[in-house]
Amino acid sequence: MTAAHRLSLLQEFYEDRQRLAQDHLTSARHVEDYQFNNTYQYIIAREETHLQWVANAITRLGGSLPPPAPTEPGTLPGAQAIGRDLERQRAFVERWRTRVAGLTNARDRKMLEVILGEALEHAQLFADAQAGRKDLLGRSDTGAGERGAVLPNRWIE
């Protein structure tokens, strides 16, 4: 695999991953259940880390980052958004699994394999949320934060 082909693959992966991260950010605005929204926040934070890893690899090869992809309007209710995000997450992993396995650069291949592995974990979180499980990120000993909804606007003083 040439350096130019490797760079192109990383840029395409970045663009695809960025689109999913933007979709998850949009979905999080419509998922009002506190536990499910916290799960989205966790997933989004990991995706930001993944994007930074891939961005570093792209710039290390002398490439530039693709422009942000346009986002879809987030008009789906929370439960439907979770289902859509589950399917898109699984499709992302399937789309990239074979291509990542073919990377000859061990460092980049391992980085993308870690990202795909975490994407599968995120898909499982979406599946658990869709099934109504509330203990997605663990249980609180005190019961704090186990009920309620996310406010529509952030309180700012």
Side-chain angles (χ1 to χ4, degrees):
M1 175 177 285
T2 67
H5 184 256
R6 188 170 124 216
L7 174 59
S8 176
L9 185 137
L10 287 170
Q11 288 170 322
E12 188 180 342
F13 185 94
Y14 180 91
E15 188 173 24
D16 202 7
R17 193 71 188 130
Q18 182 184 48
R19 187 176 305 109
L20 272 179
Q22 289 172 337
D23 287 348
H24 296 158
L25 188 58
T26 300
S27 294
R29 293 184 178 109
H30 299 280
V31 174
E32 295 178 1
D33 181 277
Y34 188 80
Q35 293 298 332
F36 298 162
N37 193 277
N38 275 353
T39 301
Y40 266 98
Q41 300 313 314
Y42 168 77
I43 290 169
I44 291 164
R46 289 305 300 158
E47 289 172 332
E48 289 172 351
T49 300
H50 298 160
L51 287 169
Q52 189 58 58
W53 292 348
V54 180
N56 290 344
I58 290 169
T59 56
R60 193 173 53 246
L61 289 171
S64 58
L65 298 180
T71 58
E72 285 186 21
T75 57
L76 291 177
Q80 289 178 7
I82 292 170
R84 180 198 59 202
D85 290 340
L86 168 62
E87 293 309 314
R88 287 182 178 176
Q89 195 78 353
R90 287 177 175 163
F92 169 79
V93 173
E94 288 307 311
R95 191 166 45 253
W96 283 100
R97 188 184 313 244
T98 303
R99 293 181 71 189
V100 166
L103 262 172
T104 55
N105 180 280
R107 180 180 180 161
D108 289 343
R109 183 180 62 249
K110 183 51 78 177
M111 172 188 63
L112 297 183
E113 286 171 349
V114 167
I115 292 170
L116 291 177
E118 287 194 26
L120 282 176
E121 290 175 9
H122 299 163
Q124 185 59 52
L125 289 171
F126 288 136
D128 290 345
Q130 190 176 44
R133 286 195 54 188
K134 295 286 188 169
D135 59 346
L136 300 172
L137 299 178
R139 292 184 175 265
S140 168
D141 290 339
T142 64
E146 292 184 5
R147 57 197 165 278
V150 177
L151 298 174
N153 294 314
R154 187 174 179 176
W155 177 58
I156 300 175
E157 224 180 279

